[in-house]
C-alpha cells in the first residue's frame, strides 16, 4: 500500500506577522520549529518509516522536513527538492499585511483571490525585484515558466504535474512518501487527490505542522486518509 504524508511547514516569521509570503523565502519562527518537532514525534509514535521525502525550494518547508526527519530519527531519508511544490506565488501581495490588503480591496475580492480557485492576485511586472528569475535558486529554471502571481488553479497545474512526474510512480510501488510544502500548494494537491470541486476547495484549510496520511491502492485510489496524532 502506498502511503503519502502531507505536512504544511511550521509557522514562519511572516505567518506570525500576518504578511502574505508566497515565494518570499522566510524562515520558521521558534513556534514553527516546535511544530516541526512535534510532527516528527507524531511520525515516530505511529512508527512510520519514510522512503522518500519531497520539499519545495523554500526554507520554511525544507527546515520543517529536516527537523521532522531528525526528530523521527530518519535523517538518512532521500530528500528531493522542487520549485513546483512552492507556495502559490502571491504576486504583488507578497510582503503586504493581509488585514491591510483586505481593508483596501474589500472582502469579496480578497476572498476570491485568497480562497477561490481561479482569481489571481495582482501580477508582478517582469522587472519587479520579487520576480523569481532574479533569485539564484531558480537560475536553472526557464524564466518563462516561473510565476509572477498565481491563482490556485495556476498553482494546481504545476503541483499536480510534479505529483505525476515524480511522486505517483513511487506510491504505486508501495513506497511511503513525505511531502513538506505549503498551505496553498497542499490545498491544490488535496483538491486533486480527494476530487474536491473548485467551489468546495474554498473551505479547505491546511494547518501548520499537522501530518495527514493518505493510503493508496496500486491504482492510486485513496483507501483512507486521516490526520496523524
Ligand atoms: O503565503 C502565505 O502568505 C501563506 O503561507 C498562505 O497564505 P494564505 O494565508 O492566504 O493561505
Amino acid at each position: 500500500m502506498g502511503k503519502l504524508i502531507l505536512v504544511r511547514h511550521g509557522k514562519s516569521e511572516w505567518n506570525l506577522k500576518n504578511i502574505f509570503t508566497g515565494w518570499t523565502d522566510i524562515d520558521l519562527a521558534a513556534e514553527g520549529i516546535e511544530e516541526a518537532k512535534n510532527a516528527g514525534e507524531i511520525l515516530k509514535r505511529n512508527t512510520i518509516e519514510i522512503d522518500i521525502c519531497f520539499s519545495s525550494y523554500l526554507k520554511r518547508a525544507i527546515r520543517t522536513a529536516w527537523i521532522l526527519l531528525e526528530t523521527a530519527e530518519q535523517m538518512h531519508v532521500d530528500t528531493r527538492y522542487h520549485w513546483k511544490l512552492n507556495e502559490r506565488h502571491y504576486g504583488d501581495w507578497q510582503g503586504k499585511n493581509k488585514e491591510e490588503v483586505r481593508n483596501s480591496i474589500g472582502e469579496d475580492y480578497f476572498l476570491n483571490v485568497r480562497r477561490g480557485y481561479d482569481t489571481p492576485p495582482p501580477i508582478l511586472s517582469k522587472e519587479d525585484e520579487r520576480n523569481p528569475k532574479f533569485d539564484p535558486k531558480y537560475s536553472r529554471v526557464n524564466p518563462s515558466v516561473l510565476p509572477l502571481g498565481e491563482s490556485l488553479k495556476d498553482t494546481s497545474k504545476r503541483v499536480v504535474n510534479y505529483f505525476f512526474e515524480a511522486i505517483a510512480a513511487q506510491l504505486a510501488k508501495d513506497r511511503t512518501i513525505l511531502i513538506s510544502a505549503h498551505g496553498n500548494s497542499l490545498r491544490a494537491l488535496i483538491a486533486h487527490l480527494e476530487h474536491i470541486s473548485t467551489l468546495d476547495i474554498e473551505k479547505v484549510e491546511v494547518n501548520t505542522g499537522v501530518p495527514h496520511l493518505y493510503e493508496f491502492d496500486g491504482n492510486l485510489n485513496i483507501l483512507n486518509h486521516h490526520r496523524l496524532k
Side-chain angles (χ1 to χ4, degrees):
M1 192 190 319
K3 293 191 177 118
L4 176 65
I5 294 128
L6 304 182
V7 66
R8 181 181 177 192
H9 62 82
K11 285 187 190 66
S12 74
E13 298 290 349
W14 279 17
N15 286 136
L16 297 187
K17 291 182 179 156
N18 204 27
I19 295 172
F20 280 111
T21 315
W23 283 41
T24 322
D25 205 0
I26 303 298
D27 213 335
L28 293 181
E31 188 185 335
I33 292 174
E34 290 310 311
E35 288 176 304
K37 281 185 193 163
N38 186 47
E41 294 291 353
I42 291 174
L43 251 61
K44 206 154 113 180
R45 204 155 52 232
N46 286 273
T47 57
I48 292 176
E49 298 287 330
I50 305 296
D51 292 308
I52 310 173
C53 171
F54 291 89
S55 170
S56 76
Y57 264 21
L58 297 167
K59 61 177 82 151
R60 57 194 188 275
I62 295 172
R63 202 176 300 286
T64 296
W66 288 356
I67 294 170
L68 186 158
L69 290 174
E70 181 178 7
T71 310
E73 293 177 64
Q74 299 185 43
M75 290 175 77
H76 62 283
V77 167
D78 176 9
T79 301
R80 305 176 189 177
Y81 306 94
H82 207 286
W83 65 270
K84 286 183 186 171
L85 296 174
N86 275 14
E87 180 56 297
R88 173 240 294 267
H89 195 297
Y90 253 124
D92 189 46
W93 286 4
Q94 290 188 178
K96 295 188 173 164
N97 180 278
K98 293 179 185 178
E99 226 27 63
E100 284 169 20
V101 172
R102 184 203 300 265
N103 292 338
S104 71
I105 61 166
E107 183 74 9
D108 284 356
Y109 179 40
F110 182 79
L111 276 182
N112 273 344
V113 175
R114 194 170 174 209
R115 288 292 171 265
Y117 190 66
D118 39 28
T119 313
I123 303 298
L124 297 179
S125 82
K126 285 202 171 92
E127 297 321 310
D128 193 293
E129 61 179 13
R130 293 167 290 176
N131 182 339
K133 80 171 180 184
F134 297 123
D135 184 332
K137 277 204 285 300
Y138 308 106
S139 60
R140 288 182 183 78
V141 184
N142 182 340
S144 70
V145 301
L146 289 171
L148 296 167
E150 298 177 297
S151 63
L152 190 66
K153 183 180 179 181
D154 299 324
T155 309
S156 174
K157 277 185 208 148
R158 60 169 164 86
V159 173
V160 173
N161 167 279
Y162 185 69
F163 177 79
F164 283 107
E165 220 168 67
I167 300 171
Q170 301 295 340
L171 291 170
K173 283 192 270 184
D174 292 345
R175 302 276 200 272
T176 297
I177 305 298
L178 171 69
I179 302 180
S180 176
H182 305 265
N184 292 292
S185 58
L186 290 176
R187 280 174 75 230
L189 183 57
I190 289 166
H192 174 79
L193 295 175
E194 295 185 35
H195 309 290
I196 298 172
S197 74
T198 55
L199 213 63
D200 288 343
I201 194 62
E202 286 180 14
K203 293 169 232 139
V204 175
E205 295 283 341
V206 182
N207 294 325
T208 49
V210 179
H212 202 98
L213 170 72
Y214 290 81
E215 294 179 319
F216 296 89
D217 69 14
N219 294 320
L220 286 194
N221 299 307
I222 295 179
L223 298 173
N224 64 70
H225 67 96
H226 59 274
R227 176 189 167 167
L228 288 170
K229 288 186 185 146

